[in-house]
Amino acid sequence: MENATEALVVINWETGKFVNASNSAEALFKIPKDKLLELGPLDISPEFQPDGTESKEIFAQFTQQALKKGKESFNWTCIDMERNPIPCEIRLVKIPSRKEKLLRGSIIDISDKIEKVKELEIANKKIGELKLIALRSVMSPHFIFNALNSIQYFIGKNERLNAINYLSTFSKLIRSILNHSVDNKIKLSEEVEMLKNYISLEMLRFEDKFDFNLIIDPELEIDYIEIPSLLIQPYVENAILHGLYNKPEKGTLTIEITEKGDVIYFTIQDDGIGRNAAMLLNAKSFPKHKSLGLKLTQERLELINENRNISFYIEDLEKNGEPSGTKVTIGILS
């Protein structure tokens, strides 16, 4: 036992003291063996464990389980002579004895293991951030491509004034996208400004085919709240191009931004033709087309959700049993 590579101790549970200890236990706790044998498990443990539980109470439970079942394993925090914390894995094994309640304790220092887990978590977080940057690098051209189509539309119709106005707003939009193309987060006020520019371009392009309402909770400090950039726009784009554009009469797009507790809610609602009708039309007109923007946004939601709490809900609206639009709600923990 003295020459064991891991720290080994023998505990007399009735006295609460060690009756034997290996040389490696001396080294781990920086306590000479003769002094160590005057102590017990609770003397080399803090009063409370990191999760807030009282060491005395919880260790008694583990010990009783070991005496009853014959063995028990658990993670534990010990302290050395200088009261430095030592994260450990404890393995208790009951030693047969007629006179005493003896347990052999194997104490394994898992500091290196915990450090490696932390390093892995940091590495995975960095990988997630790089994936988000890569996705944004694809989303931004997709976003810009649709706007360029609109400019081409006006040039094709020889509408010089509309083309100039469109280019002016488009340049503001491009500047915003470039400024935030590598940022994980963006101020809510800047995201709102980008949305307004995008929607004004689409309203001009579709010759006021829809009205736009923007409702922002006046209590929201939009200059100080940060959210993932370019997260809302693809859902707005989908509402316009698939819901409202195909509606025979003029429609309405409403974006509402509210706060409940620590969550910022974005609601994108249109009174268009509904998702099912839009999918049927799209399948007929563009049978091989896939919604790249929404697919990428869904991937971004999944990646962001590894680090942040984001909720997503889509609702098909009905009126008198008929489709009457779509409502998308995104909740972001602020």
Side-chain angles (χ1 to χ4, degrees):
M1 179 171 175
E2 281 75 9
N3 297 321
T5 55
E6 61 193 67
L8 289 180
V9 293
V10 176
I11 309 162
N12 183 325
W13 181 241
E14 293 177 324
T15 64
K17 301 296 181 182
F18 298 125
V19 295
N20 203 349
S22 65
N23 295 332
S24 50
E26 288 185 73
L28 178 62
F29 298 111
K30 301 176 183 176
I31 300 174
K33 186 173 180 178
D34 58 336
K35 296 291 184 184
L36 195 58
L37 295 181
E38 296 174 4
L39 306 175
L42 294 176
D43 297 312
I44 56 167
S45 302
E47 185 178 357
F48 295 95
Q49 290 296 301
D51 62 358
T53 56
E54 188 178 7
S55 295
K56 182 178 180 180
E57 180 182 347
I58 195 72
F59 194 82
Q61 292 178 19
F62 285 132
T63 305
Q64 291 300 325
Q65 290 171 14
L67 291 170
K68 184 178 179 180
K69 298 189 300 182
K71 60 182 179 179
E72 185 65 39
S73 299
F74 52 93
N75 287 341
W76 192 257
T77 296
C78 297
I79 52 174
D80 61 19
M81 189 175 186
E82 299 167 354
R83 301 197 67 79
N84 296 313
I86 309 170
C88 298
E89 180 187 348
I90 307 290
R91 298 173 184 171
L92 298 178
V93 178
K94 183 179 178 181
I95 299 176
S97 174
R98 293 181 180 180
K99 297 181 180 180
E100 301 170 309
K101 290 184 178 179
L102 299 179
L103 291 169
R104 187 192 71 195
S106 175
I107 307 169
I108 304 165
D109 185 350
I110 58 172
S111 301
D112 289 343
K113 181 180 178 182
I114 290 174
E115 191 61 33
K116 288 178 181 178
V117 169
K118 287 181 180 178
E119 289 175 359
L120 184 61
E121 287 176 353
I122 292 171
N124 283 332
K125 183 179 179 182
K126 188 64 178 176
I127 290 170
E129 289 173 354
L130 292 172
K131 284 181 179 178
L132 284 173
I133 291 172
L135 280 172
R136 272 199 304 274
S137 71
V138 177
M139 282 188 67
S140 295
H142 176 259
F143 189 8
I144 294 166
F145 177 78
N146 289 321
L148 287 172
N149 275 346
S150 300
I151 296 172
Q152 190 177 35
Y153 169 79
F154 284 120
I155 293 172
K157 290 183 66 178
N158 200 27
E159 296 184 11
R160 181 175 172 274
L161 184 59
N162 279 338
I164 291 172
N165 290 336
Y166 203 102
L167 278 169
S168 176
T169 307
F170 178 66
S171 66
K172 295 177 184 177
L173 196 58
I174 291 295
R175 193 176 298 114
S176 297
I177 292 172
L178 291 176
N179 287 340
H180 302 289
S181 61
V182 294
D183 294 333
N184 283 332
K185 297 178 184 177
I186 184 175
K187 288 181 181 178
L188 179 54
S189 57
E190 294 170 333
E191 181 79 356
V192 167
E193 189 61 28
M194 280 203 293
L195 280 174
K196 286 163 68 176
N197 282 332
Y198 169 73
I199 292 166
S200 67
L201 290 176
E202 294 293 51
M203 291 180 77
L204 183 61
R205 173 189 173 192
F206 295 126
E207 299 175 341
D208 294 322
K209 189 169 178 59
F210 63 93
D211 292 322
F212 171 51
N213 298 318
L214 176 62
I215 304 167
I216 302 176
D217 185 344
E219 298 296 320
L220 274 174
E221 297 181 337
I222 62 175
D223 287 323
Y224 299 98
I225 295 171
E226 292 188 332
I227 64 168
S229 61
L230 289 172
L231 187 65
I232 312 302
Q233 184 273 338
Y235 297 100
V236 175
E237 178 183 332
N238 203 54
I240 294 170
L241 299 186
H242 301 294
L244 296 169
Y245 176 68
N246 293 310
K247 185 177 180 178
E249 63 272 17
K250 192 172 187 177
T252 302
L253 171 68
T254 301
I255 298 176
E256 187 173 4
I257 306 173
T258 57
E259 183 176 28
K260 293 180 182 178
D262 294 330
V263 180
I264 307 295
Y265 287 99
F266 295 85
T267 303
I268 303 111
Q269 183 171 332
D270 67 79
D271 61 352
I273 62 173
R275 286 195 299 167
N276 288 335
M279 283 190 284
L280 288 173
L281 281 173
N282 195 56
K284 290 179 181 177
S285 304
F286 308 100
K288 296 183 180 180
H289 174 74
K290 293 182 179 179
S291 181
L292 178 61
L294 286 178
K295 181 178 182 293
L296 293 173
T297 301
Q298 185 61 39
E299 289 183 30
R300 287 191 68 208
L301 280 172
E302 291 171 1
L303 281 170
I304 294 167
N305 223 13
E306 293 179 2
N307 305 314
R308 295 171 62 92
N309 292 324
I310 293 185
S311 59
F312 175 80
Y313 180 69
I314 187 165
E315 181 182 358
D316 295 308
L317 305 176
E318 288 188 357
K319 187 176 181 180
N320 299 325
E322 295 294 327
S324 63
T326 307
K327 181 179 180 182
V328 175
T329 303
I330 301 172
I332 302 174
L333 187 66
S334 60

PDB file of all heavy atoms in Angstrom, residues 144-163:
ATOM      1  N   ILE A 144     -27.066  40.082 -50.488  1.00  0.00           N
ATOM      2  CA  ILE A 144     -26.706  41.101 -51.477  1.00  0.00           C
ATOM      3  C   ILE A 144     -27.231  40.723 -52.865  1.00  0.00           C
ATOM      4  O   ILE A 144     -27.696  41.576 -53.625  1.00  0.00           O
ATOM      5  CB  ILE A 144     -25.166  41.279 -51.505  1.00  0.00           C
ATOM      6  CG1 ILE A 144     -24.689  41.873 -50.174  1.00  0.00           C
ATOM      7  CG2 ILE A 144     -24.742  42.175 -52.663  1.00  0.00           C
ATOM      8  CD1 ILE A 144     -23.194  41.774 -49.960  1.00  0.00           C
ATOM      9  N   PHE A 145     -27.173  39.439 -53.192  1.00  0.00           N
ATOM     10  CA  PHE A 145     -27.617  38.957 -54.505  1.00  0.00           C
ATOM     11  C   PHE A 145     -29.077  39.341 -54.765  1.00  0.00           C
ATOM     12  O   PHE A 145     -29.426  39.799 -55.863  1.00  0.00           O
ATOM     13  CB  PHE A 145     -27.450  37.439 -54.556  1.00  0.00           C
ATOM     14  CG  PHE A 145     -27.936  36.813 -55.831  1.00  0.00           C
ATOM     15  CD1 PHE A 145     -27.181  36.859 -56.989  1.00  0.00           C
ATOM     16  CD2 PHE A 145     -29.173  36.177 -55.870  1.00  0.00           C
ATOM     17  CE1 PHE A 145     -27.646  36.272 -58.168  1.00  0.00           C
ATOM     18  CE2 PHE A 145     -29.638  35.596 -57.043  1.00  0.00           C
ATOM     19  CZ  PHE A 145     -28.866  35.645 -58.190  1.00  0.00           C
ATOM     20  N   ASN A 146     -29.933  39.188 -53.745  1.00  0.00           N
ATOM     21  CA  ASN A 146     -31.348  39.533 -53.907  1.00  0.00           C
ATOM     22  C   ASN A 146     -31.541  41.023 -54.135  1.00  0.00           C
ATOM     23  O   ASN A 146     -32.396  41.445 -54.920  1.00  0.00           O
ATOM     24  CB  ASN A 146     -32.142  39.072 -52.684  1.00  0.00           C
ATOM     25  CG  ASN A 146     -32.269  37.567 -52.637  1.00  0.00           C
ATOM     26  OD1 ASN A 146     -32.454  36.918 -53.659  1.00  0.00           O
ATOM     27  ND2 ASN A 146     -32.154  36.995 -51.454  1.00  0.00           N
ATOM     28  N   ALA A 147     -30.743  41.846 -53.435  1.00  0.00           N
ATOM     29  CA  ALA A 147     -30.849  43.293 -53.620  1.00  0.00           C
ATOM     30  C   ALA A 147     -30.380  43.701 -55.012  1.00  0.00           C
ATOM     31  O   ALA A 147     -30.972  44.578 -55.658  1.00  0.00           O
ATOM     32  CB  ALA A 147     -30.039  44.015 -52.546  1.00  0.00           C
ATOM     33  N   LEU A 148     -29.309  43.075 -55.503  1.00  0.00           N
ATOM     34  CA  LEU A 148     -28.813  43.384 -56.849  1.00  0.00           C
ATOM     35  C   LEU A 148     -29.850  43.019 -57.914  1.00  0.00           C
ATOM     36  O   LEU A 148     -29.973  43.696 -58.946  1.00  0.00           O
ATOM     37  CB  LEU A 148     -27.506  42.631 -57.111  1.00  0.00           C
ATOM     38  CG  LEU A 148     -26.271  43.155 -56.364  1.00  0.00           C
ATOM     39  CD1 LEU A 148     -25.095  42.212 -56.560  1.00  0.00           C
ATOM     40  CD2 LEU A 148     -25.909  44.555 -56.842  1.00  0.00           C
ATOM     41  N   ASN A 149     -30.594  41.964 -57.675  1.00  0.00           N
ATOM     42  CA  ASN A 149     -31.674  41.600 -58.595  1.00  0.00           C
ATOM     43  C   ASN A 149     -32.708  42.721 -58.689  1.00  0.00           C
ATOM     44  O   ASN A 149     -33.270  42.983 -59.760  1.00  0.00           O
ATOM     45  CB  ASN A 149     -32.362  40.315 -58.118  1.00  0.00           C
ATOM     46  CG  ASN A 149     -31.629  39.077 -58.598  1.00  0.00           C
ATOM     47  OD1 ASN A 149     -30.779  39.152 -59.480  1.00  0.00           O
ATOM     48  ND2 ASN A 149     -31.933  37.943 -57.997  1.00  0.00           N
ATOM     49  N   SER A 150     -32.956  43.361 -57.562  1.00  0.00           N
ATOM     50  CA  SER A 150     -33.924  44.454 -57.542  1.00  0.00           C
ATOM     51  C   SER A 150     -33.435  45.647 -58.363  1.00  0.00           C
ATOM     52  O   SER A 150     -34.204  46.275 -59.101  1.00  0.00           O
ATOM     53  CB  SER A 150     -34.190  44.898 -56.092  1.00  0.00           C
ATOM     54  OG  SER A 150     -34.708  43.832 -55.346  1.00  0.00           O
ATOM     55  N   ILE A 151     -32.137  45.974 -58.225  1.00  0.00           N
ATOM     56  CA  ILE A 151     -31.571  47.078 -59.007  1.00  0.00           C
ATOM     57  C   ILE A 151     -31.645  46.750 -60.492  1.00  0.00           C
ATOM     58  O   ILE A 151     -32.003  47.597 -61.332  1.00  0.00           O
ATOM     59  CB  ILE A 151     -30.107  47.339 -58.577  1.00  0.00           C
ATOM     60  CG1 ILE A 151     -30.069  47.807 -57.120  1.00  0.00           C
ATOM     61  CG2 ILE A 151     -29.458  48.387 -59.475  1.00  0.00           C
ATOM     62  CD1 ILE A 151     -28.673  47.904 -56.543  1.00  0.00           C
ATOM     63  N   GLN A 152     -31.331  45.512 -60.824  1.00  0.00           N
ATOM     64  CA  GLN A 152     -31.395  45.070 -62.221  1.00  0.00           C
ATOM     65  C   GLN A 152     -32.826  45.192 -62.763  1.00  0.00           C
ATOM     66  O   GLN A 152     -33.037  45.540 -63.928  1.00  0.00           O
ATOM     67  CB  GLN A 152     -30.899  43.626 -62.315  1.00  0.00           C
ATOM     68  CG  GLN A 152     -30.689  43.126 -63.736  1.00  0.00           C
ATOM     69  CD  GLN A 152     -30.119  41.722 -63.755  1.00  0.00           C
ATOM     70  OE1 GLN A 152     -30.447  40.904 -62.904  1.00  0.00           O
ATOM     71  NE2 GLN A 152     -29.246  41.448 -64.710  1.00  0.00           N
ATOM     72  N   TYR A 153     -33.780  44.919 -61.894  1.00  0.00           N
ATOM     73  CA  TYR A 153     -35.200  45.018 -62.261  1.00  0.00           C
ATOM     74  C   TYR A 153     -35.546  46.438 -62.697  1.00  0.00           C
ATOM     75  O   TYR A 153     -36.186  46.658 -63.734  1.00  0.00           O
ATOM     76  CB  TYR A 153     -36.047  44.581 -61.068  1.00  0.00           C
ATOM     77  CG  TYR A 153     -37.521  44.860 -61.192  1.00  0.00           C
ATOM     78  CD1 TYR A 153     -38.347  44.043 -61.951  1.00  0.00           C
ATOM     79  CD2 TYR A 153     -38.082  45.951 -60.544  1.00  0.00           C
ATOM     80  CE1 TYR A 153     -39.704  44.295 -62.066  1.00  0.00           C
ATOM     81  CE2 TYR A 153     -39.441  46.221 -60.646  1.00  0.00           C
ATOM     82  CZ  TYR A 153     -40.250  45.385 -61.405  1.00  0.00           C
ATOM     83  OH  TYR A 153     -41.597  45.656 -61.504  1.00  0.00           O
ATOM     84  N   PHE A 154     -35.097  47.447 -61.911  1.00  0.00           N
ATOM     85  CA  PHE A 154     -35.400  48.840 -62.252  1.00  0.00           C
ATOM     86  C   PHE A 154     -34.665  49.306 -63.503  1.00  0.00           C
ATOM     87  O   PHE A 154     -35.198  50.046 -64.316  1.00  0.00           O
ATOM     88  CB  PHE A 154     -35.051  49.759 -61.077  1.00  0.00           C
ATOM     89  CG  PHE A 154     -36.049  49.705 -59.961  1.00  0.00           C
ATOM     90  CD1 PHE A 154     -35.662  49.308 -58.702  1.00  0.00           C
ATOM     91  CD2 PHE A 154     -37.380  50.033 -60.176  1.00  0.00           C
ATOM     92  CE1 PHE A 154     -36.576  49.241 -57.667  1.00  0.00           C
ATOM     93  CE2 PHE A 154     -38.299  49.961 -59.149  1.00  0.00           C
ATOM     94  CZ  PHE A 154     -37.898  49.569 -57.893  1.00  0.00           C
ATOM     95  N   ILE A 155     -33.419  48.859 -63.625  1.00  0.00           N
ATOM     96  CA  ILE A 155     -32.664  49.223 -64.828  1.00  0.00           C
ATOM     97  C   ILE A 155     -33.330  48.638 -66.058  1.00  0.00           C
ATOM     98  O   ILE A 155     -33.458  49.295 -67.106  1.00  0.00           O
ATOM     99  CB  ILE A 155     -31.202  48.736 -64.706  1.00  0.00           C
ATOM    100  CG1 ILE A 155     -30.482  49.520 -63.593  1.00  0.00           C
ATOM    101  CG2 ILE A 155     -30.467  48.891 -66.037  1.00  0.00           C
ATOM    102  CD1 ILE A 155     -29.101  48.975 -63.260  1.00  0.00           C
ATOM    103  N   GLY A 156     -33.801  47.392 -65.911  1.00  0.00           N
ATOM    104  CA  GLY A 156     -34.485  46.738 -67.026  1.00  0.00           C
ATOM    105  C   GLY A 156     -35.759  47.465 -67.426  1.00  0.00           C
ATOM    106  O   GLY A 156     -36.130  47.486 -68.608  1.00  0.00           O
ATOM    107  N   LYS A 157     -36.433  48.085 -66.458  1.00  0.00           N
ATOM    108  CA  LYS A 157     -37.657  48.836 -66.746  1.00  0.00           C
ATOM    109  C   LYS A 157     -37.382  50.284 -67.122  1.00  0.00           C
ATOM    110  O   LYS A 157     -38.301  51.056 -67.357  1.00  0.00           O
ATOM    111  CB  LYS A 157     -38.579  48.803 -65.522  1.00  0.00           C
ATOM    112  CG  LYS A 157     -39.189  47.430 -65.242  1.00  0.00           C
ATOM    113  CD  LYS A 157     -40.145  47.464 -64.073  1.00  0.00           C
ATOM    114  CE  LYS A 157     -41.386  48.310 -64.382  1.00  0.00           C
ATOM    115  NZ  LYS A 157     -42.358  48.309 -63.272  1.00  0.00           N
ATOM    116  N   ASN A 158     -36.072  50.640 -67.129  1.00  0.00           N
ATOM    117  CA  ASN A 158     -35.643  51.998 -67.481  1.00  0.00           C
ATOM    118  C   ASN A 158     -36.221  53.039 -66.513  1.00  0.00           C
ATOM    119  O   ASN A 158     -36.577  54.147 -66.911  1.00  0.00           O
ATOM    120  CB  ASN A 158     -36.039  52.340 -68.933  1.00  0.00           C
ATOM    121  CG  ASN A 158     -35.216  53.499 -69.482  1.00  0.00           C
ATOM    122  OD1 ASN A 158     -34.088  53.730 -69.046  1.00  0.00           O
ATOM    123  ND2 ASN A 158     -35.796  54.233 -70.429  1.00  0.00           N
ATOM    124  N   GLU A 159     -36.322  52.657 -65.236  1.00  0.00           N
ATOM    125  CA  GLU A 159     -36.799  53.586 -64.207  1.00  0.00           C
ATOM    126  C   GLU A 159     -35.583  54.183 -63.499  1.00  0.00           C
ATOM    127  O   GLU A 159     -35.123  53.709 -62.462  1.00  0.00           O
ATOM    128  CB  GLU A 159     -37.713  52.862 -63.220  1.00  0.00           C
ATOM    129  CG  GLU A 159     -38.988  52.347 -63.861  1.00  0.00           C
ATOM    130  CD  GLU A 159     -39.927  51.715 -62.850  1.00  0.00           C
ATOM    131  OE1 GLU A 159     -39.697  51.862 -61.636  1.00  0.00           O
ATOM    132  OE2 GLU A 159     -40.898  51.068 -63.288  1.00  0.00           O
ATOM    133  N   ARG A 160     -35.068  55.285 -64.092  1.00  0.00           N
ATOM    134  CA  ARG A 160     -33.807  55.876 -63.647  1.00  0.00           C
ATOM    135  C   ARG A 160     -33.875  56.362 -62.196  1.00  0.00           C
ATOM    136  O   ARG A 160     -32.983  56.094 -61.401  1.00  0.00           O
ATOM    137  CB  ARG A 160     -33.449  57.031 -64.590  1.00  0.00           C
ATOM    138  CG  ARG A 160     -32.145  57.731 -64.260  1.00  0.00           C
ATOM    139  CD  ARG A 160     -31.805  58.766 -65.311  1.00  0.00           C
ATOM    140  NE  ARG A 160     -30.664  59.569 -64.903  1.00  0.00           N
ATOM    141  CZ  ARG A 160     -30.749  60.652 -64.144  1.00  0.00           C
ATOM    142  NH1 ARG A 160     -31.941  61.051 -63.711  1.00  0.00           N
ATOM    143  NH2 ARG A 160     -29.664  61.337 -63.808  1.00  0.00           N
ATOM    144  N   LEU A 161     -34.930  57.097 -61.845  1.00  0.00           N
ATOM    145  CA  LEU A 161     -35.037  57.676 -60.500  1.00  0.00           C
ATOM    146  C   LEU A 161     -35.129  56.583 -59.433  1.00  0.00           C
ATOM    147  O   LEU A 161     -34.465  56.652 -58.399  1.00  0.00           O
ATOM    148  CB  LEU A 161     -36.258  58.598 -60.410  1.00  0.00           C
ATOM    149  CG  LEU A 161     -36.434  59.346 -59.082  1.00  0.00           C
ATOM    150  CD1 LEU A 161     -35.213  60.223 -58.794  1.00  0.00           C
ATOM    151  CD2 LEU A 161     -37.705  60.197 -59.108  1.00  0.00           C
ATOM    152  N   ASN A 162     -35.950  55.581 -59.723  1.00  0.00           N
ATOM    153  CA  ASN A 162     -36.071  54.466 -58.780  1.00  0.00           C
ATOM    154  C   ASN A 162     -34.744  53.728 -58.618  1.00  0.00           C
ATOM    155  O   ASN A 162     -34.373  53.328 -57.507  1.00  0.00           O
ATOM    156  CB  ASN A 162     -37.148  53.485 -59.243  1.00  0.00           C
ATOM    157  CG  ASN A 162     -38.546  53.948 -58.877  1.00  0.00           C
ATOM    158  OD1 ASN A 162     -38.713  54.754 -57.966  1.00  0.00           O
ATOM    159  ND2 ASN A 162     -39.543  53.444 -59.582  1.00  0.00           N
ATOM    160  N   ALA A 163     -34.031  53.558 -59.724  1.00  0.00           N
ATOM    161  CA  ALA A 163     -32.738  52.869 -59.670  1.00  0.00           C
ATOM    162  C   ALA A 163     -31.742  53.653 -58.819  1.00  0.00           C
ATOM    163  O   ALA A 163     -30.995  53.086 -58.023  1.00  0.00           O
ATOM    164  CB  ALA A 163     -32.192  52.668 -61.079  1.00  0.00           C
TER     165      ALA A 163
END
